[in-house]
Each structure stands twice: as C-alpha cells, then as structure tokens.
Amino acid sequence: MIILGLPLQVLLGQLTIGLINGSFYALLSLGLAIIFGLLNVINFAHGAFFMLGALAAWLALTVGGVNYWWALVLAPLVTGLFGIIVERLLLRRLQGLDHLYSLLFTFGLALAIEGTVRDIYGTSGLAYPVPAALRGPVDLGFMRLPAYRIWVVAVALVVCFGTWALIEKTRIGSYLRAGTENARLVQALGINVPLLVTLTYGFGVALAGLAGVLAAPIYQVQPQMGSSMLIIIFAVVVIGGLGSTMGTILTGLALGVIEGFAKVFYPQASSTVVFMIMVVVLLLRPAGLFGKEA
Amino acid sequence: MNRLAPLALLALAAILPLAGVYPLFLTKCLTFALFAMAFNLFTGYVGLLSIGHASFFGMGAYIAGYAAKAWGMPTPVALLAGIAVATALGAAFGAIAIRRRGIYFAMITLALAQMVYFFCSQAPFTGAEDGLQNIPRGTAFGLPLGNDLVFYYFVLVLNVLAYLFIQAVIAKPFGETLQAIRDNEPRAISLGYDVRSYKLVAFTISAAIAGLAGSLKAFALGVATLPDVHWTQSGNVILMCLLGGMGTALGPIVGAVVIVLLENQLASLGVIRLGVLSIDFSTKAPIVIGIVFMLCVLLFRRGIVGELIAVLGKRGMAAETAPKHTS
C-alpha cells in the first residue's frame, strides 16, 4: 500500500519512532510545565536534570550494582531530592523577582551541572544495557520494534496521564491549581504554599529524572544529552500553552510524530520543524494551542 | 567619573599590548565587548531578553569570513557584508518577535535562533562541523591586518566608534523613549509613541553591531564555526552583560573582559595542587562560568559596574541602571 508516495510500512515505522521521541518530549515537558505553572520558573536546568537521571541509573548499575528496575524508582527520587535542595536553598531567593532571573539562574545551574559531569566522565557516551526482560524484538506486523521502546512509550503514557489525573482530579491537584492562580489566597486558607512549591519543583525534576532512566538504554548517557532536548521541550511547552497539563502531553506526543514524518518527507527540516511551528503558533495564538488567554 | 571612566579604559586598552599583553587575546576581549555592548543596547535599554543574539554574531562571522575567503572581497567590504546580513536578519527577527513581550519574546528569539543554527549546520557554505577556517585578514586602508598588533588597534578604533554610536543612540530623544517604554509601556503608548517601531529599530541596530562583532571575531581568530551561532553563545553574552551590569555603558565591556579572561586563564592554570587535593582547572571553565552566572543572579543583579555606581552613591543613576523587565 502506497500513501503519499511512500509504502505504508515506512510511514507506520516513522510514526512509531516519532511516538517514542514524543513520549520523552511529553514526559519532560510535563515537568517543565508544572514547574512553570506553580513557580513561574522557566527551568533551563530541566535538560541537566534529565541527564542526571540517566547518569544516576548508570552509576547505580556500575557502581552500586543496582539493576534497572530499582534504578527506575531510585534515580527519579535522587534527582527529585536534588531539585528540592536547589529550590529550598537557592531558587527560593528569586521568588517575587521577574521570572527572567530564575531563567538565568537555572541556565547557570545547567552549565555547572553539565560542566561537572563532563569534567568527571568526559564527553564520550556511557553505555547502559537494555534490561534482560525487555531485550527481544516485538513484531508489530509492519515493523519489528525492540520491546524496550514499547515499554518506554507505555511507561511515559501511564506516568503522564497519571500526573494529569493527579493535578486535575485530586485535592492536592486543586490546591496546586489554586496556587498558580492566587498563591496568597491559598496561603490564607491555611495551605502551606512554600511546601507545595518545593514539592512541585521536586516532582517536576523527578519526572525529568525518570525520563533520564528511560532514555539511558536508548541514547548513550552523556553530559550534553539534556541540552539538545531542552530547547525542544521548551518549544513543546510554549506551543501547548502554559498552564495546560493535557495540552502539554498531547503537544509533546504530536511534535514527536510530526518530527518523525518530517524525517521521511524532508529530512533537512526534521530538526527545525518544531521551531517553525513554535513561531507560527506564538504569533497566531500567543497563549499556545491549549492555553488560556492571559 | 562618568566622563573619565571610559577614557581611562580606552587609555588602558591602548597601552596594554605595548606593556606585553598578547594582542590576539586583547582582540578577542574587544570583539566580545562589542558583542556585549550590542546586546546591552537592546536588552539593557528596552528590557526584553533576547536569547537569539548568537544568530547575528554567528552569521556576521560566517558571511564576512566567506566573503573574504571564497570571494576574495577586501576586508572592509567583507565586514560590511557581515553587518548587512546581520542587520537584515535582525530586522526580520525583530519584526516577528517584537509583537510579543516577556517570556514569549525570549522564546520566539530562541526558536528563530534555532532555525538559523540548523540552517548553518546544513548550508554548504558554512563547512558544517568543520566551519570556515583560515579566513584571511587582508588589508584595510593600507594597513596590514595580518599583523596581530595592527589588527588589535583596528578593532579598538571600531570599538570606540561603536561605543560612541551607541551612546548617541541611547541619548535623547531616542534612548529616553526606549527607557520610557521599558519602565512603563502602556504610558508610552498612551503618550502616542509608536512603541513597536522604537523597539524594532533598537533591535535591528543591536543586531547590526552584533554582526560587526562576529565579523571581527572571524578575522581575529581566522575561523567561523557552529558554536558561534549556537544558543549557548547567546547565553554567554547575556552573562557578560549581567556580570558587568545590564543597562550601564561600561558594564558589558567589563563583563566581557572578565569572562574572556576567566575562560583563558582557567585553561592555562592547568593542574593546581593543594595538599592532597589536585584540581585540573583546564577543564573547569564551564563549571566556573555556571557558578558565576548563579552568583550574579543571586547576589548582585546590578553587575560589577552597576554595584560600583550604587556604592559610589549615585543613587539616582543606580536606580536607573537596575535592569527591569516587563513581563
């Protein structure tokens, strides 16, 4: 079967690969969006936290002898804890200032983290083995896909929609949403907003850490793995619309797929198509596709 | 002090190479000082954060380098070509980005700059990963620019001209209008100012000077490469202005010199032993720069020059120079 001059198999193959990238975009953008929503912080260090998650998994395996399944729990916890420390000790001091300062601060933090990792481990990638249980290929009919990639998409989707449900459907989520609207009022109602802020930052960072562990067996673990991802997930958050959880998830997945298709039809444009979309969306709908007009 | 400080700085810049400081290193300082001045002209005085200035710097470097190397253009013409392309790019970027403010402005400039980066990584004339190399310096007005010392003074003269030009631009009435827009945009609009045109003109001039800085950098080091257009270069210039003092006349120059000095000196420090502890500083530049960045934001947001002005008691001026962004 030929669609748009291409065999169906090729198209479906690119769709699947796009979906895998898209699930990383969704997971990372979601953390970024949550952090922006409550803290008003454009977290430039998000890519660095993603890399730290992958590195934590690698360290756990090679130094601690901890297997993948434990790393899947431990690495997000460790990165999240690191995020909490950063928020409590440093980022907190910038509250109330123009959010461009927190953008610049996290930019510096990202440089320092990336520089430190590069200094210790060098720039060549550290290999992380695919866990034994997920090693085989799965035949999807149109292509044979490593089982691990299917696992990644599944985990990302479950975590993304779980987070969405947490924010939109639970009491904690309602505090969170209220906090983004009017922190003072929520504080006056007896809710510990500073604690909520700290935990939210920790949670957002932990999501980046989780994405890192998931990425470790696919990409090589290396210091700059986050910075190339970072700019794309900014684009996802901006295109999706600040403040919309579901919008961010859907945009992340969609952009992964669009990028995949661009690779088939016009490979040169694949890495820049996301930014073209971003510029167009920002000009036509400044609040993003799913965002509310400010 | 306002009149004396720039003159003292200029005298120092004129004497340093004669006192034995490596001219090529000083030239590098000057080109980045020029880049930082260009950035400051827009972000410091209009109050919008651009994360796309590496595009103008990098494109200036590529175009001027290519014009001189592949087309054999005389150096001054190649410089003008670099400026022209950066100006056109700046006008286009500005026309799109100026329509938004705050974080959205920053994000649009970043997205546009990413497109330029990908263009440069694909286009045949940029030499992809290798970049343009062995860019010849040629001559300008009979001066043998191949000589490092002569080239240094050539760049110094251009820096002084650019400095004077920027001072003229930010003086009244244009610059005062810009600051009025920065401090209270709705009021400026209600006073009847065409705010967008003011911002666009400031952005385009800023891009043009950034293009000159990039062009000079290409001739100084003989190379134009992808890191010149990468967004980390935009971050670099933000740091220079932040460290020196955003919105001050001399801040960007001081900031640029400190950062270039830091990069160079850390690399040449090598391994330092403190008792049992031995630290290899040659690879630590990004870490130190990242930490400087964080400290600047946390502790002295006015930057070196801004804090100095504040300490010297010129309170009115200090309040004027503290960066204030509209969101």
Side-chain angles (χ1 to χ4, degrees), chain A residues 185-253:
Chain A
L185 190 70
V186 176
Q187 178 89 32
L189 292 172
I191 293 155
N192 190 341
V193 172
L195 181 69
L196 202 62
V197 164
T198 305
L199 291 179
T200 306
Y201 192 75
F203 183 70
V205 171
L207 285 180
L210 175 68
V213 190
L214 289 174
I218 298 185
Y219 310 105
Q220 298 238 305
V221 180
Q222 51 182 4
Q224 65 274 33
M225 68 189 285
S227 54
S228 45
M229 196 69 121
L230 179 72
I231 307 294
I232 295 181
I233 58 173
F234 273 151
V236 171
V237 172
V238 171
I239 295 169
L242 299 167
S244 165
T245 320
M246 186 56 87
T248 306
I249 299 171
L250 295 179
T251 308
L253 292 170

Side-chain angles (χ1 to χ4, degrees), chain A residues 30-110:
Chain A
L30 185 57
L32 200 66
I34 293 172
I35 289 172
F36 183 83
L38 195 66
L39 284 75
N40 235 329
V41 167
I42 295 282
N43 193 25
F44 247 93
H46 214 68
F49 291 134
F50 166 67
M51 182 264 292
L52 280 185
L55 183 70
W58 182 83
L59 280 177
L61 184 74
T62 49
V63 180
V66 176
N67 70 17
Y68 175 82
W69 306 103
W70 277 106
L72 208 52
V73 180
L74 288 176
L77 277 180
V78 172
T79 32
L81 200 65
F82 182 63
I84 284 178
I85 294 171
V86 167
E87 201 282 328
R88 261 276 130 106
L89 293 183
L90 304 167
L91 211 46
R92 170 144 303 184
R93 292 160 197 266
L94 298 174
Q95 254 184 6
L97 293 168
D98 191 296
H99 49 232
L100 292 174
Y101 285 115
S102 56
L103 183 157
L104 294 174
F105 172 82
T106 48
F107 183 92
L109 179 64

Side-chain angles (χ1 to χ4, degrees), chain B residues 282-293:
Chain B
S282 58
T283 54
K284 297 282 189 295
I287 307 176
V288 174
I289 288 172
I291 292 172
V292 169
F293 222 123

